[in-house]
Amino acid sequence: MLSEKMAQALNIQVNKEMYSAYLYMAMSASCTSLGLKGFANWFMVQYQEEMAHAMKFYDYIHSQGNQVKLMVIDQPQIDFDSPLAMFEKTLAHEKFVTGLIHGLVDLAGDENDSSTYAFLQWFVKEQVEEKETAGNLLNRVQSAGESEEALMNLDTELAGRVFHPPA
Ligand code: FEO
């Protein structure tokens, strides 16, 4: 069994991952309305990844004999002017989530909860990749600047992203 405190913290993380999914779904919708189908695809795959993260926490809580308690999911920002605004927000959000994961690792350490500590290591690594990917794409959108052609080339590339369920 997880301690009450650890279970509550992991429950909150289920909610944060679902909020992340919601945020990226909102960005996908914004991209669709801007006519950027490739960007919309990239953010919809990001949505799928976040739902998979939520389910990893969900399954882990139950595997420890505790019960998931779902909470209200906050409404995300729903309108974005440009891919630049979206990737700025994406990078900032992934930095925020990284801080949350590190907070959970600290709590698992404080509680001598080695199972949860080990479970969280996947997320520590995943957040390194998430921040790097968001940072790279932000740089590329910044480099595209006002060039419609560069943005369309990137849109075509991002149309190729495919969701791979995490192991
Ligand atoms: Fe679930 Fe993008 O971190």
Short mmCIF file of all heavy atoms in Angstrom, two decimals, residues 86-156:
data_model
loop_
_atom_site.label_atom_id
_atom_site.label_comp_id
_atom_site.label_asym_id
_atom_site.label_seq_id
_atom_site.Cartn_x
_atom_site.Cartn_y
_atom_site.Cartn_z
N MET A 86 2.28 28.47 -29.14
CA MET A 86 2.01 27.12 -28.62
C MET A 86 3.28 26.43 -28.14
O MET A 86 3.29 25.78 -27.09
CB MET A 86 1.33 26.27 -29.69
CG MET A 86 -0.10 26.72 -29.94
SD MET A 86 -0.94 25.69 -31.14
CE MET A 86 -1.39 26.91 -32.37
N PHE A 87 4.36 26.57 -28.88
CA PHE A 87 5.59 25.89 -28.45
C PHE A 87 6.25 26.61 -27.28
O PHE A 87 6.93 25.96 -26.46
CB PHE A 87 6.54 25.66 -29.62
CG PHE A 87 6.14 24.43 -30.40
CD1 PHE A 87 5.53 24.54 -31.63
CD2 PHE A 87 6.32 23.16 -29.86
CE1 PHE A 87 5.11 23.41 -32.32
CE2 PHE A 87 5.91 22.02 -30.53
CZ PHE A 87 5.30 22.15 -31.78
N GLU A 88 6.05 27.93 -27.17
CA GLU A 88 6.52 28.62 -25.96
C GLU A 88 5.80 28.06 -24.74
O GLU A 88 6.39 27.76 -23.71
CB GLU A 88 6.29 30.13 -26.09
CG GLU A 88 7.30 30.81 -26.98
CD GLU A 88 6.97 32.27 -27.29
OE1 GLU A 88 5.83 32.71 -27.01
OE2 GLU A 88 7.84 32.97 -27.83
N LYS A 89 4.48 27.90 -24.90
CA LYS A 89 3.66 27.37 -23.80
C LYS A 89 4.03 25.91 -23.52
O LYS A 89 4.07 25.48 -22.36
CB LYS A 89 2.19 27.50 -24.20
CG LYS A 89 1.21 26.96 -23.20
CD LYS A 89 0.84 27.98 -22.16
CE LYS A 89 -0.22 27.46 -21.21
NZ LYS A 89 -0.52 28.41 -20.16
N THR A 90 4.27 25.14 -24.59
CA THR A 90 4.61 23.72 -24.42
C THR A 90 5.91 23.57 -23.62
O THR A 90 5.97 22.77 -22.67
CB THR A 90 4.78 23.05 -25.81
OG1 THR A 90 3.51 23.09 -26.48
CG2 THR A 90 5.23 21.60 -25.69
N LEU A 91 6.91 24.35 -23.97
CA LEU A 91 8.19 24.24 -23.25
C LEU A 91 8.01 24.64 -21.79
O LEU A 91 8.49 23.95 -20.88
CB LEU A 91 9.26 25.10 -23.93
CG LEU A 91 10.64 25.05 -23.26
CD1 LEU A 91 11.19 23.61 -23.19
CD2 LEU A 91 11.64 25.96 -23.99
N ALA A 92 7.30 25.74 -21.57
CA ALA A 92 7.07 26.19 -20.18
C ALA A 92 6.30 25.12 -19.40
O ALA A 92 6.60 24.83 -18.24
CB ALA A 92 6.30 27.51 -20.18
N HIS A 93 5.33 24.51 -20.05
CA HIS A 93 4.51 23.50 -19.37
C HIS A 93 5.34 22.25 -19.05
O HIS A 93 5.22 21.69 -17.96
CB HIS A 93 3.30 23.14 -20.23
CG HIS A 93 2.37 22.20 -19.53
ND1 HIS A 93 1.65 22.56 -18.40
CD2 HIS A 93 2.07 20.89 -19.75
CE1 HIS A 93 0.95 21.52 -17.97
NE2 HIS A 93 1.19 20.49 -18.77
N GLU A 94 6.18 21.84 -19.98
CA GLU A 94 7.00 20.65 -19.72
C GLU A 94 8.02 20.91 -18.61
O GLU A 94 8.35 20.01 -17.84
CB GLU A 94 7.67 20.15 -20.99
CG GLU A 94 6.69 19.55 -22.00
CD GLU A 94 5.84 18.40 -21.45
OE1 GLU A 94 6.30 17.68 -20.54
OE2 GLU A 94 4.71 18.23 -21.92
N LYS A 95 8.50 22.14 -18.51
CA LYS A 95 9.38 22.48 -17.38
C LYS A 95 8.62 22.38 -16.07
O LYS A 95 9.13 21.87 -15.07
CB LYS A 95 9.95 23.90 -17.55
CG LYS A 95 11.04 23.98 -18.61
CD LYS A 95 11.56 25.40 -18.74
CE LYS A 95 12.64 25.47 -19.81
NZ LYS A 95 13.08 26.85 -20.06
N PHE A 96 7.39 22.86 -16.09
CA PHE A 96 6.53 22.79 -14.90
C PHE A 96 6.30 21.33 -14.50
O PHE A 96 6.45 20.96 -13.32
CB PHE A 96 5.21 23.50 -15.21
CG PHE A 96 4.13 23.27 -14.19
CD1 PHE A 96 4.24 23.79 -12.91
CD2 PHE A 96 3.00 22.53 -14.51
CE1 PHE A 96 3.24 23.57 -11.95
CE2 PHE A 96 2.00 22.30 -13.56
CZ PHE A 96 2.13 22.83 -12.28
N VAL A 97 5.97 20.48 -15.48
CA VAL A 97 5.70 19.06 -15.19
C VAL A 97 6.97 18.37 -14.67
O VAL A 97 6.91 17.54 -13.76
CB VAL A 97 5.12 18.34 -16.43
CG1 VAL A 97 5.01 16.83 -16.17
CG2 VAL A 97 3.75 18.91 -16.78
N THR A 98 8.10 18.74 -15.23
CA THR A 98 9.37 18.17 -14.75
C THR A 98 9.55 18.46 -13.26
O THR A 98 9.94 17.59 -12.48
CB THR A 98 10.56 18.74 -15.56
OG1 THR A 98 10.38 18.35 -16.93
CG2 THR A 98 11.89 18.22 -15.05
N GLY A 99 9.22 19.68 -12.87
CA GLY A 99 9.30 20.06 -11.45
C GLY A 99 8.36 19.20 -10.61
O GLY A 99 8.72 18.78 -9.50
N LEU A 100 7.17 18.91 -11.14
CA LEU A 100 6.21 18.07 -10.40
C LEU A 100 6.77 16.66 -10.21
O LEU A 100 6.66 16.07 -9.13
CB LEU A 100 4.87 17.99 -11.14
CG LEU A 100 4.07 19.28 -11.29
CD1 LEU A 100 2.80 19.00 -12.10
CD2 LEU A 100 3.71 19.87 -9.93
N ILE A 101 7.35 16.12 -11.27
CA ILE A 101 7.91 14.75 -11.20
C ILE A 101 9.05 14.73 -10.18
O ILE A 101 9.14 13.81 -9.34
CB ILE A 101 8.42 14.28 -12.59
CG1 ILE A 101 7.26 14.21 -13.60
CG2 ILE A 101 9.16 12.95 -12.47
CD1 ILE A 101 6.23 13.14 -13.34
N HIS A 102 9.90 15.74 -10.21
CA HIS A 102 11.01 15.78 -9.25
C HIS A 102 10.48 15.89 -7.82
O HIS A 102 11.06 15.31 -6.89
CB HIS A 102 11.97 16.92 -9.58
CG HIS A 102 12.74 16.66 -10.84
ND1 HIS A 102 13.60 17.57 -11.40
CD2 HIS A 102 12.78 15.58 -11.68
CE1 HIS A 102 14.13 17.06 -12.52
NE2 HIS A 102 13.64 15.87 -12.70
N GLY A 103 9.38 16.61 -7.65
CA GLY A 103 8.75 16.70 -6.33
C GLY A 103 8.26 15.34 -5.84
O GLY A 103 8.40 15.00 -4.66
N LEU A 104 7.71 14.56 -6.77
CA LEU A 104 7.25 13.21 -6.40
C LEU A 104 8.43 12.31 -6.04
O LEU A 104 8.35 11.51 -5.10
CB LEU A 104 6.47 12.58 -7.57
CG LEU A 104 5.11 13.21 -7.90
CD1 LEU A 104 4.54 12.61 -9.18
CD2 LEU A 104 4.13 13.02 -6.74
N VAL A 105 9.52 12.44 -6.78
CA VAL A 105 10.73 11.65 -6.49
C VAL A 105 11.22 12.00 -5.08
O VAL A 105 11.56 11.11 -4.29
CB VAL A 105 11.84 11.92 -7.54
CG1 VAL A 105 13.17 11.31 -7.11
CG2 VAL A 105 11.42 11.37 -8.91
N ASP A 106 11.23 13.29 -4.77
CA ASP A 106 11.68 13.73 -3.43
C ASP A 106 10.77 13.13 -2.35
O ASP A 106 11.26 12.67 -1.31
CB ASP A 106 11.66 15.26 -3.33
CG ASP A 106 12.77 15.90 -4.15
OD1 ASP A 106 13.69 15.17 -4.56
OD2 ASP A 106 12.70 17.12 -4.39
N LEU A 107 9.47 13.15 -2.60
CA LEU A 107 8.53 12.61 -1.61
C LEU A 107 8.75 11.11 -1.41
O LEU A 107 8.78 10.62 -0.28
CB LEU A 107 7.08 12.89 -2.06
CG LEU A 107 5.98 12.37 -1.12
CD1 LEU A 107 6.10 12.99 0.27
CD2 LEU A 107 4.59 12.67 -1.71
N ALA A 108 8.92 10.39 -2.54
CA ALA A 108 9.18 8.94 -2.45
C ALA A 108 10.45 8.68 -1.64
O ALA A 108 10.51 7.75 -0.82
CB ALA A 108 9.28 8.33 -3.85
N GLY A 109 11.46 9.53 -1.85
CA GLY A 109 12.71 9.40 -1.08
C GLY A 109 12.49 9.66 0.40
O GLY A 109 12.93 8.89 1.25
N ASP A 110 11.75 10.73 0.70
CA ASP A 110 11.47 11.09 2.10
C ASP A 110 10.72 9.97 2.82
O ASP A 110 10.90 9.75 4.02
CB ASP A 110 10.60 12.36 2.18
CG ASP A 110 11.37 13.60 1.76
OD1 ASP A 110 12.62 13.51 1.66
OD2 ASP A 110 10.72 14.63 1.51
N GLU A 111 9.88 9.27 2.06
CA GLU A 111 9.05 8.22 2.68
C GLU A 111 9.70 6.84 2.62
O GLU A 111 9.07 5.85 2.99
CB GLU A 111 7.70 8.17 1.96
CG GLU A 111 6.91 9.45 2.08
CD GLU A 111 5.41 9.21 2.17
OE1 GLU A 111 4.96 8.13 1.77
OE2 GLU A 111 4.72 10.10 2.68
N ASN A 112 10.92 6.79 2.09
CA ASN A 112 11.59 5.49 1.89
C ASN A 112 10.72 4.52 1.09
O ASN A 112 10.69 3.32 1.35
CB ASN A 112 11.96 4.84 3.23
CG ASN A 112 13.06 5.61 3.93
OD1 ASN A 112 14.00 6.08 3.28
ND2 ASN A 112 12.91 5.80 5.23
N ASP A 113 10.00 5.08 0.11
CA ASP A 113 9.11 4.28 -0.73
C ASP A 113 9.89 3.91 -1.99
O ASP A 113 9.84 4.61 -3.01
CB ASP A 113 7.86 5.12 -1.06
CG ASP A 113 6.86 4.37 -1.92
OD1 ASP A 113 7.22 3.33 -2.49
OD2 ASP A 113 5.72 4.85 -2.02
N SER A 114 10.63 2.80 -1.92
CA SER A 114 11.54 2.46 -3.03
C SER A 114 10.77 2.02 -4.28
O SER A 114 11.25 2.21 -5.40
CB SER A 114 12.54 1.39 -2.61
OG SER A 114 11.88 0.31 -2.02
N SER A 115 9.57 1.44 -4.12
CA SER A 115 8.78 1.02 -5.30
C SER A 115 8.39 2.25 -6.12
O SER A 115 8.55 2.28 -7.34
CB SER A 115 7.49 0.32 -4.88
OG SER A 115 7.80 -0.83 -4.17
N THR A 116 7.88 3.26 -5.43
CA THR A 116 7.44 4.47 -6.15
C THR A 116 8.66 5.21 -6.71
O THR A 116 8.60 5.74 -7.83
CB THR A 116 6.62 5.38 -5.21
OG1 THR A 116 5.51 4.62 -4.73
CG2 THR A 116 6.12 6.61 -5.92
N TYR A 117 9.72 5.21 -5.95
CA TYR A 117 10.96 5.86 -6.42
C TYR A 117 11.39 5.22 -7.74
O TYR A 117 11.71 5.92 -8.71
CB TYR A 117 12.05 5.72 -5.35
CG TYR A 117 13.28 6.54 -5.63
CD1 TYR A 117 13.40 7.84 -5.14
CD2 TYR A 117 14.31 6.02 -6.41
CE1 TYR A 117 14.52 8.60 -5.41
CE2 TYR A 117 15.44 6.78 -6.68
CZ TYR A 117 15.54 8.06 -6.18
OH TYR A 117 16.65 8.81 -6.44
N ALA A 118 11.38 3.89 -7.79
CA ALA A 118 11.79 3.17 -9.02
C ALA A 118 10.79 3.44 -10.15
O ALA A 118 11.18 3.69 -11.30
CB ALA A 118 11.88 1.67 -8.74
N PHE A 119 9.51 3.41 -9.82
CA PHE A 119 8.47 3.67 -10.82
C PHE A 119 8.66 5.04 -11.48
O PHE A 119 8.50 5.20 -12.69
CB PHE A 119 7.09 3.60 -10.14
CG PHE A 119 5.97 4.20 -10.94
CD1 PHE A 119 5.46 3.56 -12.06
CD2 PHE A 119 5.43 5.44 -10.58
CE1 PHE A 119 4.43 4.13 -12.80
CE2 PHE A 119 4.41 6.02 -11.32
CZ PHE A 119 3.90 5.36 -12.43
N LEU A 120 9.03 6.03 -10.68
CA LEU A 120 9.14 7.41 -11.19
C LEU A 120 10.35 7.64 -12.10
O LEU A 120 10.38 8.63 -12.83
CB LEU A 120 9.20 8.38 -10.00
CG LEU A 120 7.89 8.52 -9.22
CD1 LEU A 120 8.14 9.27 -7.91
CD2 LEU A 120 6.83 9.26 -10.06
N GLN A 121 11.31 6.73 -12.06
CA GLN A 121 12.52 6.95 -12.88
C GLN A 121 12.19 7.02 -14.37
O GLN A 121 12.83 7.74 -15.13
CB GLN A 121 13.58 5.86 -12.60
CG GLN A 121 14.10 5.88 -11.17
CD GLN A 121 14.48 7.28 -10.69
OE1 GLN A 121 15.30 7.96 -11.29
NE2 GLN A 121 13.84 7.71 -9.60
N TRP A 122 11.18 6.26 -14.81
CA TRP A 122 10.76 6.33 -16.23
C TRP A 122 10.34 7.76 -16.57
O TRP A 122 10.66 8.29 -17.64
CB TRP A 122 9.60 5.35 -16.47
CG TRP A 122 9.19 5.29 -17.92
CD1 TRP A 122 9.69 4.47 -18.89
CD2 TRP A 122 8.22 6.13 -18.58
NE1 TRP A 122 9.09 4.74 -20.11
CE2 TRP A 122 8.18 5.75 -19.93
CE3 TRP A 122 7.37 7.16 -18.14
CZ2 TRP A 122 7.34 6.35 -20.86
CZ3 TRP A 122 6.54 7.77 -19.08
CH2 TRP A 122 6.52 7.37 -20.42
N PHE A 123 9.62 8.39 -15.65
CA PHE A 123 9.13 9.76 -15.90
C PHE A 123 10.26 10.79 -15.85
O PHE A 123 10.22 11.79 -16.57
CB PHE A 123 8.03 10.11 -14.89
CG PHE A 123 6.72 9.46 -15.21
CD1 PHE A 123 6.37 8.25 -14.63
CD2 PHE A 123 5.85 10.02 -16.13
CE1 PHE A 123 5.17 7.63 -14.94
CE2 PHE A 123 4.64 9.40 -16.46
CZ PHE A 123 4.31 8.20 -15.85
N VAL A 124 11.24 10.54 -15.00
CA VAL A 124 12.40 11.45 -14.95
C VAL A 124 13.06 11.49 -16.33
O VAL A 124 13.33 12.57 -16.88
CB VAL A 124 13.40 11.01 -13.87
CG1 VAL A 124 14.70 11.82 -13.96
CG2 VAL A 124 12.79 11.14 -12.47
N LYS A 125 13.25 10.31 -16.91
CA LYS A 125 13.88 10.21 -18.23
C LYS A 125 12.96 10.80 -19.31
O LYS A 125 13.41 11.53 -20.19
CB LYS A 125 14.17 8.74 -18.51
CG LYS A 125 15.02 8.46 -19.70
CD LYS A 125 15.58 7.03 -19.63
CE LYS A 125 16.08 6.59 -20.98
NZ LYS A 125 15.02 6.05 -21.84
N GLU A 126 11.70 10.48 -19.22
CA GLU A 126 10.73 10.96 -20.20
C GLU A 126 10.69 12.50 -20.22
O GLU A 126 10.61 13.12 -21.28
CB GLU A 126 9.33 10.40 -19.85
CG GLU A 126 8.18 10.93 -20.71
CD GLU A 126 8.17 10.36 -22.12
OE1 GLU A 126 9.05 9.53 -22.44
OE2 GLU A 126 7.29 10.77 -22.89
N GLN A 127 10.78 13.11 -19.04
CA GLN A 127 10.71 14.58 -18.98
C GLN A 127 11.95 15.23 -19.62
O GLN A 127 11.84 16.32 -20.19
CB GLN A 127 10.51 15.06 -17.55
CG GLN A 127 9.08 14.90 -17.05
CD GLN A 127 8.03 15.46 -17.98
OE1 GLN A 127 7.12 14.76 -18.39
NE2 GLN A 127 8.14 16.73 -18.34
N VAL A 128 13.08 14.55 -19.54
CA VAL A 128 14.27 15.08 -20.22
C VAL A 128 13.99 15.15 -21.72
O VAL A 128 14.25 16.16 -22.38
CB VAL A 128 15.51 14.19 -19.93
CG1 VAL A 128 16.69 14.63 -20.79
CG2 VAL A 128 15.86 14.24 -18.45
N GLU A 129 13.38 14.08 -22.24
CA GLU A 129 13.06 14.03 -23.68
C GLU A 129 11.98 15.04 -24.03
O GLU A 129 12.05 15.70 -25.07
CB GLU A 129 12.59 12.62 -24.07
CG GLU A 129 13.72 11.60 -24.08
CD GLU A 129 13.21 10.18 -24.32
OE1 GLU A 129 12.08 10.01 -24.81
OE2 GLU A 129 13.96 9.25 -23.99
N GLU A 130 10.98 15.15 -23.19
CA GLU A 130 9.87 16.07 -23.46
C GLU A 130 10.37 17.52 -23.56
O GLU A 130 9.98 18.27 -24.45
CB GLU A 130 8.80 15.98 -22.36
CG GLU A 130 8.07 14.65 -22.31
CD GLU A 130 6.79 14.68 -23.12
OE1 GLU A 130 6.88 14.62 -24.36
OE2 GLU A 130 5.72 14.75 -22.52
N LYS A 131 11.23 17.88 -22.63
CA LYS A 131 11.75 19.27 -22.64
C LYS A 131 12.64 19.50 -23.85
O LYS A 131 12.59 20.55 -24.49
CB LYS A 131 12.57 19.53 -21.36
CG LYS A 131 11.73 20.02 -20.19
CD LYS A 131 12.57 20.65 -19.10
CE LYS A 131 13.66 19.73 -18.60
NZ LYS A 131 14.55 20.32 -17.62
N GLU A 132 13.45 18.49 -24.17
CA GLU A 132 14.36 18.63 -25.31
C GLU A 132 13.56 18.77 -26.62
O GLU A 132 13.86 19.64 -27.45
CB GLU A 132 15.27 17.40 -25.37
CG GLU A 132 16.44 17.57 -26.32
CD GLU A 132 17.32 16.34 -26.37
OE1 GLU A 132 17.22 15.48 -25.48
OE2 GLU A 132 18.10 16.25 -27.33
N THR A 133 12.56 17.92 -26.78
CA THR A 133 11.75 17.97 -28.00
C THR A 133 11.03 19.32 -28.12
O THR A 133 11.03 19.95 -29.19
CB THR A 133 10.69 16.83 -27.98
OG1 THR A 133 11.39 15.60 -27.85
CG2 THR A 133 9.86 16.82 -29.25
N ALA A 134 10.43 19.76 -27.02
CA ALA A 134 9.71 21.05 -27.05
C ALA A 134 10.68 22.19 -27.35
O ALA A 134 10.36 23.10 -28.14
CB ALA A 134 9.00 21.28 -25.72
N GLY A 135 11.86 22.15 -26.76
CA GLY A 135 12.86 23.20 -27.00
C GLY A 135 13.33 23.22 -28.45
O GLY A 135 13.45 24.29 -29.06
N ASN A 136 13.55 22.03 -29.01
CA ASN A 136 13.98 21.95 -30.41
C ASN A 136 12.92 22.49 -31.35
O ASN A 136 13.22 23.24 -32.29
CB ASN A 136 14.29 20.49 -30.79
CG ASN A 136 15.59 20.02 -30.19
OD1 ASN A 136 16.42 20.83 -29.76
ND2 ASN A 136 15.79 18.71 -30.12
N LEU A 137 11.68 22.11 -31.09
CA LEU A 137 10.61 22.58 -31.99
C LEU A 137 10.38 24.08 -31.84
O LEU A 137 10.11 24.77 -32.82
CB LEU A 137 9.33 21.77 -31.76
CG LEU A 137 9.39 20.38 -32.40
CD1 LEU A 137 8.25 19.50 -31.93
CD2 LEU A 137 9.40 20.46 -33.93
N LEU A 138 10.53 24.57 -30.62
CA LEU A 138 10.42 26.02 -30.42
C LEU A 138 11.49 26.74 -31.23
O LEU A 138 11.20 27.72 -31.93
CB LEU A 138 10.53 26.37 -28.93
CG LEU A 138 10.55 27.86 -28.59
CD1 LEU A 138 9.29 28.56 -29.09
CD2 LEU A 138 10.70 28.08 -27.08
N ASN A 139 12.71 26.22 -31.20
CA ASN A 139 13.79 26.83 -31.98
C ASN A 139 13.48 26.82 -33.47
O ASN A 139 13.73 27.79 -34.19
CB ASN A 139 15.11 26.07 -31.77
CG ASN A 139 15.70 26.38 -30.41
OD1 ASN A 139 15.36 27.39 -29.78
ND2 ASN A 139 16.58 25.51 -29.93
N ARG A 140 12.92 25.71 -33.93
CA ARG A 140 12.65 25.61 -35.36
C ARG A 140 11.51 26.54 -35.78
O ARG A 140 11.56 27.12 -36.87
CB ARG A 140 12.33 24.16 -35.72
CG ARG A 140 13.59 23.29 -35.54
CD ARG A 140 13.39 21.90 -36.03
NE ARG A 140 13.16 21.87 -37.46
CZ ARG A 140 12.72 20.80 -38.11
NH1 ARG A 140 12.47 19.69 -37.45
NH2 ARG A 140 12.54 20.84 -39.42
N VAL A 141 10.52 26.69 -34.94
CA VAL A 141 9.42 27.62 -35.26
C VAL A 141 9.96 29.06 -35.23
O VAL A 141 9.61 29.88 -36.08
CB VAL A 141 8.24 27.43 -34.27
CG1 VAL A 141 7.20 28.52 -34.46
CG2 VAL A 141 7.59 26.07 -34.47
N GLN A 142 10.84 29.34 -34.27
CA GLN A 142 11.45 30.68 -34.21
C GLN A 142 12.27 30.95 -35.46
O GLN A 142 12.22 32.03 -36.04
CB GLN A 142 12.33 30.81 -32.97
CG GLN A 142 11.52 31.09 -31.71
CD GLN A 142 12.34 30.97 -30.43
OE1 GLN A 142 13.33 30.24 -30.39
NE2 GLN A 142 11.93 31.65 -29.37
N SER A 143 13.02 29.92 -35.91
CA SER A 143 13.85 30.09 -37.11
C SER A 143 13.00 30.31 -38.35
O SER A 143 13.40 31.04 -39.26
CB SER A 143 14.72 28.84 -37.35
OG SER A 143 15.56 28.64 -36.27
N ALA A 144 11.83 29.65 -38.38
CA ALA A 144 10.94 29.82 -39.55
C ALA A 144 10.49 31.28 -39.64
O ALA A 144 10.31 31.81 -40.74
CB ALA A 144 9.74 28.89 -39.43
N GLY A 145 10.34 31.92 -38.48
CA GLY A 145 9.97 33.34 -38.46
C GLY A 145 8.73 33.62 -39.26
O GLY A 145 7.71 32.95 -39.10
N GLU A 146 8.84 34.58 -40.16
CA GLU A 146 7.68 34.98 -40.97
C GLU A 146 7.59 34.19 -42.28
O GLU A 146 6.71 34.46 -43.10
CB GLU A 146 7.77 36.47 -41.30
CG GLU A 146 7.76 37.40 -40.10
CD GLU A 146 6.46 37.31 -39.31
OE1 GLU A 146 5.39 37.48 -39.91
OE2 GLU A 146 6.55 37.06 -38.09
N SER A 147 8.53 33.25 -42.48
CA SER A 147 8.55 32.51 -43.75
C SER A 147 7.43 31.48 -43.82
O SER A 147 7.45 30.47 -43.10
CB SER A 147 9.90 31.81 -43.93
OG SER A 147 9.79 30.85 -44.97
N GLU A 148 6.48 31.73 -44.68
CA GLU A 148 5.35 30.80 -44.88
C GLU A 148 5.86 29.45 -45.36
O GLU A 148 5.39 28.39 -44.93
CB GLU A 148 4.39 31.41 -45.91
CG GLU A 148 3.08 30.68 -46.10
CD GLU A 148 2.10 30.90 -44.93
OE1 GLU A 148 2.35 31.79 -44.09
OE2 GLU A 148 1.13 30.15 -44.88
N GLU A 149 6.86 29.50 -46.24
CA GLU A 149 7.39 28.25 -46.80
C GLU A 149 8.04 27.39 -45.72
O GLU A 149 7.81 26.18 -45.65
CB GLU A 149 8.42 28.58 -47.89
CG GLU A 149 8.86 27.35 -48.66
CD GLU A 149 10.00 27.64 -49.63
OE1 GLU A 149 10.33 28.83 -49.86
OE2 GLU A 149 10.58 26.65 -50.13
N ALA A 150 8.84 28.01 -44.86
CA ALA A 150 9.50 27.25 -43.79
C ALA A 150 8.47 26.65 -42.85
O ALA A 150 8.61 25.50 -42.40
CB ALA A 150 10.47 28.16 -43.03
N LEU A 151 7.42 27.41 -42.56
CA LEU A 151 6.38 26.91 -41.66
C LEU A 151 5.63 25.73 -42.30
O LEU A 151 5.33 24.73 -41.64
CB LEU A 151 5.40 28.05 -41.33
CG LEU A 151 4.56 27.85 -40.07
CD1 LEU A 151 5.42 27.75 -38.82
CD2 LEU A 151 3.56 28.99 -39.92
N MET A 152 5.37 25.85 -43.59
CA MET A 152 4.66 24.76 -44.28
C MET A 152 5.53 23.50 -44.37
O MET A 152 5.03 22.38 -44.28
CB MET A 152 4.23 25.22 -45.69
CG MET A 152 3.04 26.15 -45.66
SD MET A 152 1.62 25.40 -44.81
CE MET A 152 1.16 26.65 -43.68
N ASN A 153 6.83 23.70 -44.54
CA ASN A 153 7.74 22.54 -44.57
C ASN A 153 7.72 21.82 -43.22
O ASN A 153 7.70 20.59 -43.15
CB ASN A 153 9.17 22.97 -44.90
CG ASN A 153 9.33 23.31 -46.36
OD1 ASN A 153 8.51 22.93 -47.19
ND2 ASN A 153 10.40 24.05 -46.69
N LEU A 154 7.72 22.62 -42.16
CA LEU A 154 7.68 22.03 -40.83
C LEU A 154 6.32 21.34 -40.61
O LEU A 154 6.25 20.25 -40.02
CB LEU A 154 7.91 23.13 -39.78
CG LEU A 154 8.13 22.68 -38.33
CD1 LEU A 154 9.21 21.61 -38.21
CD2 LEU A 154 8.50 23.90 -37.47
N ASP A 155 5.27 21.96 -41.12
CA ASP A 155 3.93 21.37 -40.99
C ASP A 155 3.90 19.98 -41.66
O ASP A 155 3.35 19.03 -41.11
CB ASP A 155 2.89 22.30 -41.63
CG ASP A 155 1.47 21.88 -41.30
OD1 ASP A 155 1.10 21.92 -40.11
OD2 ASP A 155 0.73 21.49 -42.23
N THR A 156 4.50 19.89 -42.82
CA THR A 156 4.54 18.61 -43.54
C THR A 156 5.31 17.57 -42.73
O THR A 156 4.89 16.41 -42.62
CB THR A 156 5.22 18.80 -44.92
OG1 THR A 156 4.47 19.77 -45.64
CG2 THR A 156 5.30 17.51 -45.71
#
